[in-house]
Coordinates of all heavy atoms in Angstrom, one line a residue:
M200 N 105.7 152.3 75.3 CA 106.4 151.2 74.6 C 105.7 151.0 73.2 O 104.5 151.0 73.2 CB 106.3 149.9 75.5 CG 106.7 148.7 74.8 SD 106.9 147.3 75.8 CE 105.4 147.1 76.7
T201 N 106.5 150.8 72.2 CA 105.9 150.5 70.9 C 105.4 149.1 70.9 O 105.9 148.2 71.6 CB 106.9 150.7 69.8 OG1 107.9 149.7 69.9 CG2 107.6 152.1 69.9
D202 N 104.4 148.8 70.0 CA 103.9 147.5 69.8 C 105.0 146.5 69.4 O 105.1 145.4 69.8 CB 102.8 147.5 68.8 CG 101.5 148.1 69.4 OD1 101.4 148.2 70.6 OD2 100.6 148.5 68.6
T203 N 105.9 147.0 68.5 CA 107.0 146.2 68.0 C 107.9 145.8 69.1 O 108.3 144.6 69.2 CB 107.7 146.9 66.8 OG1 106.8 147.3 65.8 CG2 108.8 146.0 66.3
A204 N 108.3 146.8 69.9 CA 109.2 146.5 71.0 C 108.6 145.5 72.0 O 109.2 144.5 72.5 CB 109.6 147.7 71.7
H205 N 107.3 145.7 72.3 CA 106.6 144.8 73.2 C 106.5 143.4 72.6 O 106.8 142.4 73.3 CB 105.1 145.3 73.4 CG 104.3 144.4 74.2 ND1 104.5 144.2 75.5 CD2 103.2 143.6 73.9 CE1 103.6 143.3 76.0 NE2 102.8 143.0 75.0
T206 N 106.2 143.3 71.3 CA 106.2 142.0 70.6 C 107.5 141.3 70.6 O 107.6 140.1 70.9 CB 105.7 142.1 69.2 OG1 104.4 142.7 69.2 CG2 105.6 140.8 68.4
Q207 N 108.6 142.1 70.4 CA 109.9 141.5 70.4 C 110.4 141.1 71.8 O 111.1 140.0 71.9 CB 110.9 142.5 69.8 CG 110.7 142.6 68.3 CD 111.8 143.5 67.6 OE1 112.7 144.0 68.2 NE2 111.8 143.5 66.3
L208 N 110.0 141.8 72.8 CA 110.3 141.4 74.2 C 109.6 140.0 74.5 O 110.1 139.1 75.1 CB 109.9 142.4 75.2 CG 110.3 142.1 76.6 CD1 111.8 141.9 76.8 CD2 109.8 143.3 77.5
A209 N 108.3 139.9 74.1 CA 107.6 138.7 74.3 C 108.2 137.5 73.5 O 108.3 136.4 74.0 CB 106.1 138.8 73.8
T210 N 108.7 137.8 72.3 CA 109.4 136.8 71.5 C 110.7 136.3 72.2 O 110.9 135.1 72.3 CB 109.7 137.3 70.1 OG1 108.5 137.7 69.4 CG2 110.5 136.4 69.3
L211 N 111.4 137.3 72.7 CA 112.6 136.9 73.5 C 112.3 136.1 74.7 O 113.0 135.1 75.0 CB 113.4 138.2 73.8 CG 114.7 138.1 74.5 CD1 115.7 137.2 73.8 CD2 115.3 139.4 74.8
A212 N 111.3 136.5 75.4 CA 110.9 135.8 76.7 C 110.5 134.3 76.3 O 110.9 133.4 77.0 CB 109.8 136.5 77.4
Q213 N 109.8 134.1 75.2 CA 109.4 132.8 74.8 C 110.6 132.0 74.4 O 110.7 130.8 74.7 CB 108.4 132.9 73.7 CG 107.0 133.4 74.1 CD 106.1 133.6 72.9 OE1 106.5 133.6 71.7 NE2 104.8 134.0 73.2
A214 N 111.5 132.6 73.7 CA 112.7 131.9 73.3 C 113.6 131.5 74.5 O 114.1 130.4 74.5 CB 113.6 132.8 72.3
L215 N 113.6 132.3 75.5 CA 114.3 132.0 76.7 C 113.7 130.8 77.4 O 114.4 129.9 77.9 CB 114.4 133.2 77.6 CG 115.2 133.1 78.9 CD1 116.7 132.7 78.6 CD2 115.2 134.4 79.7
Q216 N 112.4 130.8 77.4 CA 111.7 129.6 78.0 C 111.9 128.4 77.2 O 112.1 127.3 77.8 CB 110.2 129.9 78.1 CG 109.8 130.9 79.1 CD 108.3 131.3 79.0 OE1 107.6 130.9 78.2 NE2 107.9 132.2 80.0
S217 N 111.9 128.5 75.9 CA 112.2 127.3 75.0 C 113.7 126.8 75.3 O 113.9 125.6 75.3 CB 112.1 127.7 73.6 OG 110.7 128.0 73.3
F218 N 114.6 127.7 75.5 CA 116.0 127.3 75.8 C 116.0 126.6 77.1 O 116.7 125.5 77.2 CB 116.9 128.6 75.8 CG 118.3 128.2 76.2 CD1 119.2 127.6 75.4 CD2 118.7 128.5 77.5 CE1 120.5 127.3 75.7 CE2 120.0 128.2 77.9 CZ 120.9 127.6 77.0
E219 N 115.3 127.1 78.1 CA 115.3 126.4 79.4 C 114.7 125.0 79.3 O 115.2 124.1 80.0 CB 114.5 127.2 80.4 CG 115.2 128.4 80.9 CD 114.3 129.0 82.0 OE1 113.3 129.7 81.7 OE2 114.7 128.8 83.2
R220 N 113.8 124.8 78.4 CA 113.2 123.5 78.2 C 114.0 122.6 77.4 O 113.8 121.4 77.2 CB 111.8 123.6 77.5 CG 110.7 124.1 78.4 CD 109.3 124.0 77.7 NE 109.3 124.5 76.4 CZ 108.9 125.7 76.0 NH1 108.5 126.6 77.0 NH2 108.9 126.1 74.8
G221 N 115.0 123.1 76.7 CA 115.9 122.4 75.9 C 115.4 122.3 74.4 O 116.0 121.6 73.6
D222 N 114.5 123.2 74.1 CA 113.9 123.2 72.7 C 114.8 124.1 71.8 O 114.6 124.0 70.6 CB 112.5 123.8 72.7 CG 111.5 122.9 73.5 OD1 111.8 121.7 73.7 OD2 110.5 123.4 73.9
H223 N 115.6 125.0 72.3 CA 116.5 125.9 71.6 C 117.9 125.7 72.1 O 118.1 125.4 73.2 CB 116.1 127.3 71.8 CG 114.9 127.8 71.0 ND1 114.5 127.3 69.8 CD2 114.1 128.8 71.3 CE1 113.5 128.0 69.4 NE2 113.2 128.9 70.3
T224 N 118.8 125.8 71.2 CA 120.2 125.8 71.6 C 120.6 127.2 72.0 O 119.9 128.2 71.7 CB 121.1 125.4 70.4 OG1 121.0 126.4 69.3 CG2 120.8 124.0 69.8
A225 N 121.8 127.4 72.6 CA 122.3 128.7 73.0 C 122.5 129.6 71.8 O 122.1 130.8 71.8 CB 123.6 128.6 73.8
A226 N 122.9 129.0 70.7 CA 123.1 129.7 69.4 C 121.8 130.2 68.9 O 121.7 131.4 68.4 CB 123.9 128.9 68.4
T227 N 120.8 129.4 68.9 CA 119.5 129.8 68.4 C 118.9 131.0 69.2 O 118.4 132.0 68.7 CB 118.5 128.6 68.4 OG1 119.0 127.6 67.6 CG2 117.1 129.0 67.9
L228 N 119.0 130.8 70.6 CA 118.5 131.9 71.4 C 119.3 133.2 71.2 O 118.7 134.3 71.1 CB 118.7 131.5 72.9 CG 118.4 132.5 74.0 CD1 116.9 133.0 73.8 CD2 118.7 132.0 75.4
S229 N 120.6 133.1 71.1 CA 121.4 134.2 70.9 C 121.1 134.9 69.5 O 121.0 136.2 69.5 CB 122.9 133.8 70.9 OG 123.7 135.0 70.7
T230 N 121.0 134.2 68.5 CA 120.6 134.7 67.2 C 119.3 135.4 67.2 O 119.1 136.6 66.8 CB 120.6 133.6 66.1 OG1 121.9 133.1 66.0 CG2 120.2 134.2 64.8
L231 N 118.3 134.8 67.8 CA 117.0 135.4 67.9 C 117.0 136.7 68.7 O 116.4 137.7 68.4 CB 116.0 134.4 68.5 CG 114.6 134.8 68.5 CD1 113.7 133.7 68.1 CD2 114.1 135.4 69.9
A232 N 117.7 136.7 69.9 CA 117.8 137.8 70.7 C 118.5 139.0 70.0 O 118.0 140.1 70.1 CB 118.6 137.5 72.0
R233 N 119.5 138.7 69.2 CA 120.2 139.8 68.5 C 119.4 140.4 67.4 O 119.6 141.5 66.9 CB 121.5 139.2 68.0 CG 122.5 138.9 69.0 CD 123.7 138.1 68.5 NE 124.5 137.5 69.5 CZ 125.5 138.0 70.1 NH1 125.8 139.3 69.9 NH2 126.2 137.3 71.1
Q234 N 118.4 139.6 66.9 CA 117.5 140.1 65.8 C 116.4 141.1 66.3 O 115.7 141.7 65.5 CB 116.8 138.9 65.1 CG 117.8 138.1 64.4 CD 117.2 136.8 63.8 OE1 116.1 136.4 64.3 NE2 117.9 136.2 62.8
Q235 N 116.3 141.2 67.6 CA 115.2 142.0 68.2 C 115.6 143.5 68.2 O 115.7 144.2 69.3 CB 114.8 141.5 69.6 CG 114.5 140.1 69.7 CD 113.5 139.6 68.6 OE1 112.4 140.1 68.4 NE2 113.9 138.5 67.9
T236 N 115.9 144.1 67.1 CA 116.5 145.4 66.9 C 115.5 146.5 67.4 O 116.0 147.5 68.0 CB 116.9 145.7 65.5 OG1 115.8 145.5 64.6 CG2 118.0 144.7 65.1
A237 N 114.2 146.4 67.2 CA 113.3 147.4 67.7 C 113.3 147.5 69.2 O 113.3 148.6 69.8 CB 111.9 147.2 67.1
L238 N 113.3 146.3 69.8 CA 113.4 146.2 71.3 C 114.6 146.9 71.8 O 114.6 147.8 72.7 CB 113.3 144.8 71.7 CG 113.6 144.5 73.2 CD1 112.6 145.2 74.1 CD2 113.7 143.0 73.5
L239 N 115.8 146.5 71.2 CA 117.1 147.1 71.7 C 117.1 148.6 71.5 O 117.7 149.3 72.3 CB 118.2 146.3 71.1 CG 118.3 144.9 71.4 CD1 119.4 144.2 70.6 CD2 118.5 144.7 72.9
A240 N 116.6 149.1 70.4 CA 116.6 150.5 70.1 C 115.7 151.3 71.0 O 115.9 152.5 71.3 CB 116.1 150.7 68.7
S241 N 114.7 150.6 71.6 CA 113.7 151.2 72.5 C 114.3 151.3 74.0 O 113.7 152.0 74.8 CB 112.4 150.5 72.6 OG 111.8 150.5 71.3
L242 N 115.4 150.7 74.2 CA 116.0 150.6 75.6 C 117.2 151.5 75.6 O 117.8 151.8 74.6 CB 116.3 149.2 75.9 CG 115.2 148.2 76.1 CD1 115.7 146.8 76.1 CD2 114.3 148.5 77.3
P243 N 117.6 151.9 76.9 CA 118.9 152.7 77.0 C 120.0 151.8 76.5 O 120.0 150.6 76.6 CB 119.0 152.9 78.5 CG 117.6 152.8 79.0 CD 116.9 151.8 78.1
P244 N 121.1 152.4 76.0 CA 122.2 151.7 75.4 C 122.8 150.6 76.3 O 123.2 149.5 75.8 CB 123.2 152.7 75.0 CG 122.4 154.0 74.9 CD 121.3 153.8 75.8
R245 N 122.8 150.8 77.6 CA 123.5 149.8 78.5 C 122.7 148.5 78.4 O 123.3 147.5 78.7 CB 123.5 150.4 79.9 CG 122.2 150.5 80.6 CD 122.4 151.1 82.0 NE 121.1 151.3 82.7 CZ 120.3 152.3 82.6 NH1 120.7 153.3 81.9 NH2 119.2 152.3 83.3
Y246 N 121.4 148.5 78.1 CA 120.7 147.3 78.0 C 121.2 146.4 76.9 O 121.3 145.2 77.0 CB 119.2 147.5 77.9 CG 118.5 147.8 79.2 CD1 118.6 149.1 79.7 CD2 117.8 146.8 79.8 CE1 118.0 149.3 81.0 CE2 117.2 147.1 81.1 CZ 117.3 148.3 81.6 OH 116.7 148.6 82.8
S247 N 121.5 147.0 75.8 CA 122.1 146.2 74.7 C 123.5 145.7 75.0 O 123.7 144.5 74.8 CB 122.3 147.1 73.4 OG 121.0 147.5 72.9
E248 N 124.3 146.5 75.7 CA 125.6 146.0 76.1 C 125.5 144.8 77.1 O 126.2 143.8 76.9 CB 126.3 147.1 76.8 CG 126.7 148.3 75.9 CD 127.3 149.5 76.7 OE1 127.9 149.3 77.8 OE2 127.1 150.6 76.2
V249 N 124.6 144.9 78.0 CA 124.5 143.8 79.0 C 123.9 142.6 78.3 O 124.4 141.5 78.5 CB 123.5 144.2 80.2 CG1 123.2 143.0 81.0 CG2 124.2 145.3 81.0
L250 N 122.9 142.7 77.5 CA 122.3 141.6 76.8 C 123.4 140.9 75.9 O 123.5 139.6 76.0 CB 121.1 142.0 75.9 CG 120.5 140.8 75.2 CD1 119.9 139.7 76.1 CD2 119.4 141.4 74.3
L251 N 124.1 141.6 75.1 CA 125.1 141.0 74.2 C 126.2 140.3 75.0 O 126.7 139.3 74.6 CB 125.7 142.1 73.3 CG 124.7 142.7 72.3 CD1 125.3 143.8 71.5 CD2 124.0 141.7 71.4
N252 N 126.6 140.9 76.2 CA 127.6 140.3 77.0 C 127.1 138.9 77.6 O 127.8 137.9 77.5 CB 128.0 141.2 78.2 CG 129.0 140.6 79.1 OD1 128.8 139.8 79.9 ND2 130.2 141.1 78.9
L253 N 125.8 138.9 78.0 CA 125.2 137.7 78.5 C 125.1 136.6 77.4 O 125.4 135.4 77.7 CB 123.8 138.0 79.1 CG 123.8 138.7 80.5 CD1 122.4 139.1 80.8 CD2 124.4 137.9 81.6
L254 N 124.7 137.1 76.2 CA 124.6 136.1 75.1 C 125.9 135.5 74.7 O 126.0 134.3 74.5 CB 123.9 136.8 73.9 CG 122.4 137.2 74.2 CD1 121.9 138.0 73.0 CD2 121.5 136.0 74.4
D255 N 126.9 136.4 74.7 CA 128.3 135.9 74.4 C 128.7 134.8 75.4 O 129.3 133.8 75.0 CB 129.3 137.0 74.4 CG 129.2 137.9 73.2 OD1 128.5 137.5 72.2 OD2 129.7 139.1 73.2
R256 N 128.5 135.1 76.7 CA 128.9 134.1 77.7 C 128.1 132.9 77.6 O 128.6 131.8 77.8 CB 128.7 134.8 79.1 CG 129.8 135.9 79.3 CD 129.7 136.7 80.5 NE 128.8 136.2 81.6 CZ 128.5 136.9 82.6 NH1 128.9 138.2 82.7 NH2 127.7 136.5 83.5
L257 N 126.8 133.0 77.3 CA 125.9 131.8 77.1 C 126.4 130.9 76.0 O 126.5 129.7 76.1 CB 124.5 132.2 76.9 CG 123.5 131.1 76.8 CD1 123.4 130.4 78.2 CD2 122.1 131.6 76.4
E258 N 126.8 131.6 74.9 CA 127.3 130.8 73.7 C 128.6 130.1 74.1 O 128.8 129.0 73.7 CB 127.5 131.7 72.5 CG 126.2 132.2 71.9 CD 126.4 133.1 70.7 OE1 127.1 134.2 70.9 OE2 125.9 132.8 69.6
S259 N 129.5 130.8 74.8 CA 130.7 130.2 75.2 C 130.5 129.1 76.2 O 131.2 128.0 76.1 CB 131.6 131.3 76.0 OG 132.0 132.3 75.1
S260 N 129.5 129.2 77.0 CA 129.3 128.1 78.0 C 128.8 126.8 77.3 O 129.0 125.7 77.7 CB 128.3 128.5 79.1 OG 127.0 128.6 78.5
A261 N 128.1 127.0 76.1 CA 127.6 125.9 75.4 C 128.7 125.1 74.7 O 128.5 123.9 74.4 CB 126.6 126.4 74.3
L262 N 129.9 125.6 74.6 CA 131.0 124.9 74.0 C 131.7 123.9 74.9 O 132.5 123.1 74.5 CB 132.0 126.0 73.5 CG 131.6 126.9 72.4 CD1 132.7 128.0 72.2 CD2 131.1 126.2 71.2
F263 N 131.4 124.1 76.2 CA 132.0 123.2 77.2 C 131.0 122.5 78.1 O 129.8 123.0 78.1 CB 132.9 124.1 78.1 CG 134.0 124.8 77.4 CD1 133.8 126.2 77.0 CD2 135.1 124.2 77.0 CE1 134.7 126.9 76.3 CE2 136.1 124.9 76.3 CZ 135.9 126.3 76.0
S264 N 131.4 121.5 78.7 CA 130.5 120.9 79.7 C 130.4 121.8 80.9 O 131.2 122.7 81.1 CB 131.1 119.5 80.2 OG 132.2 119.7 81.0
E265 N 129.3 121.7 81.6 CA 129.0 122.6 82.8 C 130.2 122.6 83.7 O 130.5 123.7 84.3 CB 127.7 122.1 83.5 CG 127.2 123.1 84.5 CD 126.6 124.4 83.9 OE1 126.1 124.3 82.7 OE2 126.6 125.4 84.6
E266 N 130.9 121.5 83.9 CA 131.9 121.5 84.9 C 133.2 122.2 84.5 O 133.9 122.7 85.3 CB 132.3 120.0 85.2 CG 131.2 119.2 85.8 CD 130.2 118.7 84.8 OE1 130.6 118.5 83.6 OE2 129.0 118.5 85.2
S267 N 133.4 122.3 83.2 CA 134.7 122.8 82.7 C 134.5 124.3 82.3 O 135.5 124.9 81.9 CB 135.2 122.0 81.5 OG 134.4 122.1 80.4
C268 N 133.4 124.8 82.4 CA 133.1 126.2 81.9 C 133.1 127.1 83.1 O 132.5 126.8 84.1 CB 131.8 126.3 81.1 SG 131.5 127.9 80.5
S269 N 133.6 128.3 82.9 CA 133.6 129.3 84.0 C 132.3 130.0 84.1 O 132.0 130.8 85.0 CB 134.7 130.3 83.8 OG 134.6 131.0 82.6
F270 N 131.4 129.8 83.1 CA 130.1 130.4 83.2 C 129.0 129.3 83.4 O 128.9 128.3 82.7 CB 129.7 131.1 81.8 CG 130.8 132.1 81.4 CD1 131.4 132.0 80.2 CD2 131.1 133.2 82.2 CE1 132.4 132.9 79.8 CE2 132.0 134.1 81.8 CZ 132.6 134.0 80.6
S271 N 128.2 129.5 84.4 CA 127.1 128.6 84.7 C 125.9 128.9 83.8 O 125.4 130.1 83.9 CB 126.7 128.7 86.1 OG 125.5 128.1 86.4
Q272 N 125.5 128.0 83.0 CA 124.3 128.3 82.1 C 123.1 128.6 83.0 O 122.3 129.5 82.6 CB 124.0 127.1 81.2 CG 124.8 127.1 80.0 CD 124.3 126.1 78.9 OE1 123.3 125.5 79.1 NE2 125.0 126.0 77.8
K273 N 122.9 128.0 84.1 CA 121.8 128.2 85.0 C 121.8 129.7 85.5 O 120.8 130.4 85.5 CB 121.8 127.3 86.2 CG 120.7 127.4 87.1 CD 120.8 126.3 88.2 CE 119.6 126.5 89.2 NZ 119.7 125.5 90.3
D274 N 123.0 130.1 85.9 CA 123.1 131.5 86.3 C 122.9 132.5 85.2 O 122.3 133.6 85.4 CB 124.5 131.8 87.0 CG 124.7 131.0 88.3 OD1 123.7 130.6 88.9 OD2 125.9 130.9 88.7
L275 N 123.4 132.2 84.0 CA 123.3 133.0 82.9 C 121.8 133.2 82.5 O 121.3 134.2 82.2 CB 124.1 132.5 81.7 CG 125.6 132.7 81.8 CD1 126.3 132.0 80.7 CD2 126.0 134.2 81.8
V276 N 121.1 132.1 82.5 CA 119.6 132.1 82.2 C 118.9 133.0 83.3 O 118.0 133.8 82.9 CB 119.0 130.7 82.2 CG1 117.5 130.7 82.2 CG2 119.5 129.9 81.0
A277 N 119.3 132.8 84.5 CA 118.7 133.7 85.6 C 119.0 135.1 85.3 O 118.1 136.0 85.5 CB 119.2 133.3 87.0
N278 N 120.2 135.5 84.9 CA 120.5 136.8 84.5 C 119.8 137.3 83.3 O 119.4 138.5 83.3 CB 122.0 137.0 84.3 CG 122.8 137.0 85.6 OD1 122.3 137.4 86.6 ND2 124.0 136.4 85.6
L279 N 119.6 136.5 82.3 CA 118.8 136.8 81.2 C 117.3 137.1 81.6 O 116.7 138.0 81.0 CB 118.9 135.8 80.1 CG 120.2 135.7 79.3 CD1 120.3 134.4 78.5 CD2 120.3 136.9 78.4
Q280 N 116.8 136.3 82.5 CA 115.4 136.5 83.0 C 115.3 137.8 83.7 O 114.3 138.6 83.5 CB 115.0 135.4 83.8 CG 114.7 134.1 83.1 CD 114.6 132.9 84.0 OE1 115.1 132.8 85.1 NE2 113.8 131.9 83.5
M281 N 116.3 138.2 84.5 CA 116.3 139.4 85.2 C 116.4 140.6 84.2 O 115.7 141.6 84.4 CB 117.5 139.5 86.2 CG 117.5 140.7 87.0 SD 119.0 140.9 88.1 CE 119.2 139.3 88.8
W282 N 117.2 140.4 83.2 CA 117.3 141.4 82.1 C 116.0 141.7 81.5 O 115.6 142.8 81.3 CB 118.4 141.0 81.1 CG 118.6 142.0 80.0 CD1 119.5 143.0 79.9 CD2 117.8 142.2 78.8 NE1 119.4 143.8 78.8 CE2 118.3 143.3 78.1 CE3 116.7 141.6 78.3 CZ2 117.8 143.8 76.9 CZ3 116.1 142.0 77.1 CH2 116.7 143.1 76.4
E283 N 115.3 140.6 81.2 CA 114.0 140.7 80.5 C 113.0 141.4 81.5 O 112.3 142.3 81.0 CB 113.4 139.3 80.2 CG 112.1 139.3 79.5 CD 111.1 138.5 80.2 OE1 111.4 137.5 80.8 OE2 109.9 138.8 80.1
E284 N 113.0 141.1 82.7 CA 112.1 141.8 83.7 C 112.4 143.3 83.8 O 111.5 144.1 83.8 CB 112.2 141.2 85.1 CG 111.7 139.8 85.1 CD 112.1 139.0 86.4 OE1 112.6 139.7 87.3 OE2 111.8 137.8 86.5
K285 N 113.7 143.6 83.8 CA 114.1 145.0 83.9 C 113.7 145.8 82.6 O 113.3 146.9 82.6 CB 115.6 145.2 84.3 CG 115.8 144.8 85.7 CD 117.3 144.9 86.0 CE 117.6 144.4 87.4 NZ 117.8 145.5 88.4
A286 N 114.0 145.1 81.5 CA 113.6 145.7 80.2 C 112.1 146.0 80.1 O 111.7 147.0 79.6 CB 114.1 144.8 79.1
R287 N 111.3 145.0 80.6 CA 109.9 145.2 80.6 C 109.5 146.4 81.4 O 108.7 147.2 81.1 CB 109.2 143.9 81.1 CG 107.7 144.0 81.0 CD 107.0 142.7 81.4 NE 107.6 141.5 80.7 CZ 107.4 141.1 79.5 NH1 106.6 141.9 78.7 NH2 107.9 140.1 79.0
G288 N 110.2 146.6 82.6 CA 109.9 147.7 83.5 C 110.2 149.0 82.8 O 109.5 150.0 82.9
V289 N 111.3 149.1 82.1 CA 111.8 150.3 81.4 C 110.8 150.6 80.3 O 110.4 151.8 80.1 CB 113.2 150.2 80.8 CG1 113.5 151.3 79.9 CG2 114.2 150.1 81.9
L290 N 110.4 149.6 79.5 CA 109.5 149.9 78.4 C 108.0 150.3 78.8 O 107.4 151.0 78.1 CB 109.4 148.6 77.5 CG 110.7 148.3 76.8 CD1 110.5 147.0 76.0 CD2 111.1 149.4 75.8
T291 N 107.6 149.8 80.0 CA 106.3 150.1 80.5 C 106.2 151.4 81.3 O 105.1 151.9 81.7 CB 105.6 149.0 81.2 OG1 106.5 148.6 82.3 CG2 105.4 147.8 80.3
A292 N 107.4 151.9 81.7 CA 107.4 153.1 82.5 C 107.0 154.4 81.8 O 107.1 154.5 80.6 CB 108.8 153.3 83.1

């Protein structure tokens, strides 16, 4: 794993924690995640596809109240955390 990819994964993990605490909006998290280009380039292409899909759904869920949205923010955050754990595993393998 490159130092840059490792640093960007740590940045993304911190941003996800900040979002969970309510310190970041979904748009802020999404923008920051999309900027981690060295990380995404270090992973197989399917990781980028999955991350971008999750981020799109997270942004969509932020436009509606939890009850009226077909995407649960709680479930999306759990999926983003799982993505981060799997990405960490790929990078350290």
Side-chain angles (χ1 to χ4, degrees):
M200 168 167 57
T201 67
D202 288 340
T203 302
H205 176 70
T206 300
Q207 288 187 354
L208 184 60
T210 298
L211 181 55
Q213 289 172 352
L215 185 55
Q216 290 172 355
S217 292
F218 175 74
E219 285 186 282
R220 287 191 308 267
D222 297 339
H223 282 331
T224 64
T227 301
L228 174 61
S229 181
T230 298
L231 188 136
R233 293 171 196 272
Q234 292 172 342
Q235 308 312 307
T236 55
L238 169 62
L239 297 176
S241 298
L242 295 168
R245 69 181 180 272
Y246 278 79
S247 293
E248 294 172 28
V249 169
L250 178 63
L251 296 176
N252 183 283
L253 289 170
L254 293 171
D255 287 345
R256 292 176 9 195
L257 184 66
E258 288 177 308
S259 294
S260 74
L262 298 174
F263 302 98
S264 69
E265 191 70 27
E266 298 80 29
S267 65
C268 183
S269 61
F270 305 121
S271 162
Q272 279 194 0
K273 184 177 179 180
D274 291 344
L275 290 169
V276 167
N278 285 324
L279 285 166
Q280 289 169 333
M281 185 184 317
W282 182 94
E283 183 234 329
E284 291 167 10
K285 289 181 183 253
R287 186 175 310 283
V289 167
L290 292 176
T291 57

